[in-house]
């Protein structure tokens, strides 16, 4: 069964600290993995997309890593800011030849940055 | 370029009623997908439309339906509402459905539906 598990479910850190969010998946055959940021009351916004051959991708203070052998990904946030408070969703796409039906969503990590 | 817009943003309905939600994709985008998001289940795929045709459907009962118009705008309808239908309904648009999921999709702000 295609699944995406994220940990931790929630996380509270102090402003300026770093943190790492985890994503484990069993989706097969694998196409790509995305990380989304979802602010409260808003739709998800893409942070990174990584294919099988990419093991690191950065977007400002966000760095995603991918280990396709162990089927694990992480999202590292450096020097956190209050605006980083959001839910972070890991989404894995499988090779279906189609579109949105090939996406498997994690339930997200709820991150709170405290001043 | 304007983003994906969804109307209404908030909706309160009574059990047994029906509801219609609307989504306007980014200009030039022809593919629209709908998702239901709840705290317990996360994001779940409802259906996907491209060029007015439903391409894929998720594992939801027949009470959930949708359509896409010639201008790519899409609507979804939920009939005979149940308490469990309370959720954030998200719409996402993309240029076209991509092979292998390599396309980028852009989400709207969602419609918060509360069923009482």
């Amino acid at each position: 069964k295609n699944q995406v598990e994220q940990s931790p479910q929630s996380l509270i850190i102090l402003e300026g600290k770093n943190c790492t969010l985890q994503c484990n998946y069993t989706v097969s055959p694998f196409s790509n993995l995305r990380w989304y940021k979802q602010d409260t009351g808003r739709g998800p916004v893409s942070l990174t997309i990584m294919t099988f051959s990419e093991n690191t991708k950065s977007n400002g203070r966000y760095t995603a890593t991918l280990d396709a052998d162990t089927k694990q990904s992480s999202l590292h946030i450096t020097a956190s800011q209050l605006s980083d408070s959001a839910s972070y969703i890991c989404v894995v796409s499988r090779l279906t030849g189609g579109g949105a039906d090939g996406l498997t969503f994690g339930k997200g990590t709820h991150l709170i940055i405290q001043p | 370029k304007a983003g994906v817009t969804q109307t209404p943003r908030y909706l309160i309905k009574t059990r047994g009623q029906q509801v219609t939600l609307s989504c306007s994709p980014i200009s030039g985008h022809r593919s629209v997908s709908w998702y239901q998001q709840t705290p317990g289940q996360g994001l779940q795929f409802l259906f996907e439309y491209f060029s007015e045709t439903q391409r894929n459907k998720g594992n939801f009962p027949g009470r959930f339906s949708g359509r896409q118009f010639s201008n790519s705008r899409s609507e979804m309808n939920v009939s005979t509402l149940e308490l469990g239908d309370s959720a954030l309904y998200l719409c996402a648009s993309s240029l076209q459905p991509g092979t292998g999921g390599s396309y980028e999709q852009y989400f709207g702000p969602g419609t918060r539906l509360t069923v009482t």
Side-chain angles (χ1 to χ4, degrees):
Chain A
K1 184 181 177 182
N2 294 307
Q3 286 185 315
V4 174
E5 301 285 344
Q6 291 188 244
S7 61
Q9 275 190 309
S10 60
L11 182 62
I12 303 174
I13 64 171
L14 293 175
E15 185 179 11
K17 298 296 186 182
N18 303 334
C19 67
T20 300
L21 313 181
Q22 300 289 345
C23 172
N24 297 338
Y25 63 92
T26 59
V27 177
S28 181
F30 175 86
S31 175
N32 60 58
L33 184 146
R34 312 151 189 247
W35 284 94
Y36 285 90
K37 178 188 179 190
Q38 184 175 21
D39 293 316
T40 301
R42 309 288 292 272
V45 174
S46 178
L47 293 174
T48 64
I49 302 176
M50 287 186 293
T51 61
F52 185 89
S53 59
E54 298 172 298
N55 52 27
T56 302
K57 185 165 274 191
S58 292
N59 179 358
R61 294 180 296 100
Y62 300 101
T63 299
T65 64
L66 173 65
D67 186 334
D69 291 331
T70 62
K71 299 187 176 181
Q72 295 180 323
S73 176
S74 65
L75 180 68
H76 187 74
I77 304 175
T78 304
S80 61
Q81 300 176 358
L82 297 178
S83 60
D84 293 330
S85 294
S87 286
Y88 292 84
I89 302 170
C90 175
V91 184
V92 181
S93 174
R94 70 179 189 275
L95 287 169
T96 63
D101 61 318
L103 302 176
T104 302
F105 293 82
K107 294 183 180 180
T109 291
H110 186 52
L111 176 64
I112 298 173
I113 310 297
Q114 288 186 336
Chain B
K1 187 181 271 191
V4 179
T5 58
Q6 292 187 244
T7 56
R9 291 292 312 277
Y10 303 92
L11 206 49
I12 300 175
K13 289 287 188 179
T14 303
R15 207 167 26 170
Q17 289 185 313
Q18 75 164 17
V19 66
T20 299
L21 313 181
S22 179
C23 171
S24 293
I26 292 171
S27 177
H29 285 193
R30 297 166 61 196
S31 180
V32 173
S33 303
W34 287 91
Y35 301 87
Q36 180 193 69
Q37 186 177 32
T38 58
Q41 297 297 319
L43 272 148
Q44 293 184 284
F45 170 69
L46 279 160
F47 22 67
E48 178 181 39
Y49 288 89
F50 177 69
S51 294
E52 302 178 66
T53 301
Q54 186 180 92
R55 296 188 74 251
N56 301 292
K57 190 178 191 318
N59 189 24
F60 278 83
R63 299 185 296 107
F64 292 81
S65 63
R67 59 178 175 169
Q68 186 180 35
F69 302 95
S70 58
N71 61 359
S72 295
R73 191 177 69 85
S74 177
E75 288 181 347
M76 68 162 281
N77 183 276
V78 187
S79 62
T80 318
L81 284 166
E82 300 177 359
L83 295 178
D85 297 333
S86 294
L88 180 67
Y89 289 88
L90 290 161
C91 159
S93 80
S94 58
L95 280 170
Q96 59 183 18
T99 300
S102 59
Y103 64 97
E104 180 63 269
Q105 60 177 0
Y106 300 86
F107 285 86
T111 293
R112 172 73 62 185
L113 172 64
T114 302
V115 182
T116 62

